[in-house]
Amino acid sequence: MNNGQIYAFVVFVCILQLSLIFNRSVHTKHKETIDRPFIGLLIFFILFTVVDLLWGICDSGVFNTGSLFFTLVTYASHVMCGLSAFMWVGYIMKYIGSKKRKRLIINIIRSVLLVAQFAMIIANMFTHASFYIDADLVYHVGALREYMYGVQFLYYIMILLYATIMYFVHVHGSRKTLYRNVLIFSLVPLAFGIGQYLFYNVAMYSMGFMLSAFIIYAYNLTDIREKHLTRVAEDSTRISFIDALTGLLNRRAYEEALNLLEVSGLASNFVYISMDLNELKHANDELGHEAGDEILKGAADIMLKAFAAYGRIYRTGGDEYAALLNMDENQLAEAKNNFLNLMKKWSGELVPSLNVSCGFVGRWEHSDMDIKKMAKVADERMYQDKARYYATKGVDRRGQTEAFSVLCTVYTKILKVNLSTDTYQIIKMEEDEKSHEKGFSDHFFKWLSDFGTSGQVFKDDLPLYLEKTAPEYLKEQLHGGKSIVSIPYRRLIGGSIHDCIMEIIPSGDYSEANQTVFLYVKVLDL
């Protein structure tokens, strides 16, 4: 094979590779990830290599193309060479995403350089000072050719200098990485351009374009994948903090917010609102869970409209909500009135009205209050508001309170538990039960398990106790419609063994999405 045939063969391989990259870049399920400027650059690369292939075929002498055709192809090749650097710089500026003023300056410079190159190509038609094809179909280079390539290299040197300066200007961050990539991208066409100048009968340009396309595609693919994985992680995190039914932030997000506020402290205009939806159990029992869901979502919508401009709202339990806001006293008064008006106007398809009891606390009331103290005060005010609501309905809330007090004397431990989030609230429990020696834990299921394995449960009763307190067993029993799960066991209290029973009862609004239960423990022989 002569040099022309080798040249044509190498270019043909480059065309195939560029076509594969183009096909893979265009045909994707995620159209939003297509890099339009890169696609434009690939099309130019392919057109250039097609012209380069024709030049190699002419130079090979395999086909009697004639000097005129060879000359035309050669001129087309040099035009494409001039355009290649022009197109490259254009892509780099889009890749960087430079500001309008910088783009204008670079575009003026590259346009001047392109005109200079085209002027030399046109002049060559009359002087043959850069190149010509003789009657024997042999390509000759002239003295002006080095100036043509000199202008070509000015493009790349300009971009390399610009990228180098900007790389050191940006000490860290994504912009620094961007300019580092530009330096890597631009070294390839510069190196192969020098090679083409030194070895005009070797397909340096086409090989350079193929390698450039591979490098850019690999960088872009990696970048897209990283952004996709970041987006998936962010979406997953966001979903894990969102209550599926109402769209509000959930208990997990609430607890993280409280932890953060404990560390960072509270602003002087911080407001805590405790809210509880009234008569949810009645709606669920009388109208069905769809009605219950309707008022849960309706209440959330009202809260968002009234308070979202000032902070965040959370669904902390089945019918419980909390808002962590920053607002002054006037804004709070206005938001409260707006909330009450929205609540009065609300009407659903299944439920005609809803009512939410609220407790409002502003930090300006007591500047030394921490978040836990504010939450406690807000809860107390919310329960007072709830008592007033039920008093107007003719419900004896005082009698209910007395009945609850009696229950507290009967049971040694009462918890409100969310099985979905593995969290709980202590309603009643002896202080000595909170020791780690007795398996105490912030996570409900771990606490149940460690309580048994720490020696608190009599060893003969332990296997059945662990079986019935396992997460899968409890959820399966309650999801299957069981109204109560009873777990008898014996435990050591005060040096002697006593019979105990643990009862886990689903709340009135228990569902697969809201697995709220109450846990009662009673010592039978005390």
Side-chain angles (χ1 to χ4, degrees):
M1 294 177 70
N2 60 34
N3 287 340
Q5 290 172 320
I6 295 172
Y7 191 105
F9 177 76
V10 171
V11 175
F12 179 70
V13 172
C14 292
I15 291 173
L16 289 178
Q17 298 302 318
L18 286 168
S19 299
L20 286 172
I21 296 172
F22 176 81
N23 182 66
R24 188 66 187 87
S25 300
V26 172
H27 294 95
T28 172
K29 293 179 181 178
H30 307 287
K31 299 298 181 184
E32 70 278 3
T33 64
I34 293 176
D35 184 349
R36 304 289 176 186
F38 179 56
I39 297 300
L41 190 65
L42 277 176
I43 292 172
F44 176 80
F45 284 172
I46 293 170
L47 290 174
F48 185 104
T49 49
V50 168
V51 173
D52 213 20
L53 177 63
L54 291 174
W55 193 91
I57 291 171
C58 291
D59 189 51
S60 69
V62 175
F63 302 102
N64 186 16
T65 56
S67 61
L68 178 60
F69 182 77
F70 195 180
T71 300
L72 291 174
V73 169
T74 303
Y75 271 100
S77 178
H78 280 278
V79 167
M80 296 299 282
C81 284
L83 282 171
S84 65
F86 181 85
M87 295 290 291
W88 181 265
V89 173
Y91 170 74
I92 291 298
M93 296 310 294
K94 289 178 182 177
Y95 179 82
I96 294 171
S98 298
K99 293 181 179 179
K100 188 175 181 180
R101 184 180 177 185
K102 290 180 181 178
R103 288 202 308 271
L104 179 62
I105 294 170
I106 296 292
N107 284 335
I108 290 172
I109 295 172
R110 72 180 183 132
S111 297
V112 170
L113 293 176
L114 183 66
V115 169
Q117 283 184 295
F118 276 20
M120 282 185 275
I121 292 172
I122 293 170
N124 187 74
M125 295 178 182
F126 306 100
T127 63
H128 292 172
S130 297
F131 61 89
Y132 69 93
I133 307 297
D134 64 18
D136 296 325
L137 304 182
V138 177
Y139 175 77
H140 296 274
V141 297
L144 197 60
R145 178 174 177 268
E146 62 186 64
Y147 294 102
M148 290 179 63
Y149 275 92
V151 174
Q152 186 91 350
F153 297 147
L154 282 176
Y155 285 100
Y156 300 116
I157 291 170
M158 174 182 66
I159 285 295
L160 285 169
L161 284 174
Y162 176 71
T164 302
I165 293 168
M166 298 308 293
Y167 178 80
F168 287 105
V169 167
H170 294 275
V171 180
H172 52 75
S174 59
R175 297 297 294 177
K176 187 179 182 73
T177 302
L178 204 62
Y179 287 109
R180 182 203 64 196
N181 294 350
V182 169
L183 287 170
I184 295 169
F185 293 170
S186 300
L187 284 172
V188 175
L190 176 62
F192 279 86
I194 293 170
Q196 190 73 72
Y197 171 73
L198 297 174
F199 308 101
Y200 68 87
N201 59 348
V202 179
M204 287 289 185
Y205 266 135
S206 290
M207 289 190 289
F209 292 154
M210 181 184 71
L211 183 57
S212 294
F214 270 124
I215 292 172
I216 296 173
Y217 177 75
Y219 270 80
N220 286 356
L221 189 66
T222 303
D223 186 52
I224 290 168
R225 182 179 295 146
E226 286 181 355
K227 287 178 180 176
H228 173 71
L229 291 174
T230 301
R231 189 165 56 250
V232 168
E234 289 174 350
D235 289 345
S236 177
T237 301
R238 182 182 59 81
I239 291 169
S240 70
F241 284 106
I242 297 295
D243 176 61
L245 178 64
T246 63
L248 298 178
L249 293 164
N250 61 17
R251 175 134 198 125
R252 179 182 174 188
Y254 170 76
E255 289 176 348
E256 290 210 1
L258 291 192
N259 291 335
L260 183 62
L261 288 170
E262 282 185 358
V263 175
S264 63
L266 305 176
S268 59
N269 65 340
F270 181 79
V271 174
Y272 187 105
I273 307 176
S274 176
M275 294 170 281
D276 195 287
L277 182 60
N278 295 319
E279 300 194 85
L280 176 62
K281 187 177 187 305
H282 174 76
N284 283 330
D285 292 345
E286 299 297 325
L287 303 173
H289 283 282
E290 288 185 4
D293 289 348
E294 183 180 63
I295 58 173
L296 283 167
K297 289 187 282 187
D301 185 55
I302 291 170
M303 293 169 193
L304 287 169
K305 289 177 179 176
F307 304 123
Y310 303 100
R312 295 182 173 180
I313 301 115
Y314 305 81
R315 185 186 179 197
T316 57
D319 54 2
E320 300 164 358
Y321 304 83
L324 308 179
L325 313 174
N326 288 96
M327 60 203 316
D328 59 33
E329 292 183 66
N330 292 331
Q331 289 171 325
L332 176 58
E334 183 181 345
K336 284 168 70 174
N337 288 331
N338 188 24
F339 178 77
L340 292 172
N341 289 331
L342 288 169
M343 191 162 58
K344 288 176 183 177
K345 294 176 182 177
W346 186 88
S347 179
E349 294 181 2
L350 302 174
V351 185
S353 63
L354 62 79
N355 188 274
V356 179
S357 294
C358 302
F360 300 86
V361 183
R363 184 113 191 282
W364 53 80
E365 297 180 41
H366 298 285
S367 59
D368 60 340
M369 281 195 299
D370 60 14
I371 186 64
K372 289 183 178 179
K373 177 64 175 176
M374 288 189 73
K376 184 178 180 181
V377 173
D379 282 343
E380 290 172 353
R381 292 178 180 178
M382 181 272 292
Y383 283 118
Q384 291 169 5
D385 186 43
K386 185 178 284 288
R388 287 191 293 269
Y389 170 79
Y390 280 105
T392 62
K393 295 286 185 178
V395 177
D396 184 6
R397 299 291 285 183
R398 180 176 295 178
Q400 291 180 347
T401 303
E402 291 173 355
F404 176 74
S405 298
V406 172
L407 280 176
C408 286
T409 63
V410 174
Y411 292 97
T412 60
K413 188 183 295 182
I414 303 176
L415 306 176
K416 184 178 181 181
V417 182
N418 189 318
L419 301 181
S420 303
T421 59
D422 195 20
T423 58
Y424 61 87
Q425 295 173 331
I426 298 173
I427 297 173
K428 181 193 175 183
M429 190 173 73
E430 299 295 334
E431 283 299 317
D432 64 355
E433 291 287 291
K434 295 181 181 180
S435 67
H436 290 290
E437 290 75 14
K438 294 184 179 181
F440 183 74
S441 171
D442 292 333
H443 299 285
F444 175 67
F445 287 115
K446 187 176 189 305
W447 183 12
L448 285 181
S449 175
D450 291 355
F451 177 81
T453 56
S454 65
Q456 299 308 304
V457 176
F458 187 57
K459 62 180 182 178
D460 291 347
D461 299 336
L462 184 59
L464 183 61
Y465 170 87
L466 292 175
E467 177 190 339
K468 289 197 170 186
T469 56
E472 298 79 9
Y473 177 84
L474 286 176
K475 291 178 181 180
E476 182 182 353
Q477 293 295 308
L478 295 169
H479 185 61
K482 199 163 186 177
S483 60
I484 182 169
V485 176
S486 297
I487 306 168
Y489 62 93
R490 287 169 290 174
R491 69 164 293 190
L492 186 66
I493 302 175
S496 58
I497 295 175
H498 295 270
D499 291 324
C500 301
I501 186 166
M502 180 187 296
E503 296 176 332
I504 297 175
I505 304 171
S507 64
D509 60 340
Y510 182 90
S511 65
E512 190 168 0
N514 176 42
Q515 297 176 323
T516 303
V517 300
F518 290 92
L519 178 146
Y520 300 90
V521 175
K522 181 179 181 181
V523 181
L524 300 175
D525 53 357
L526 278 182

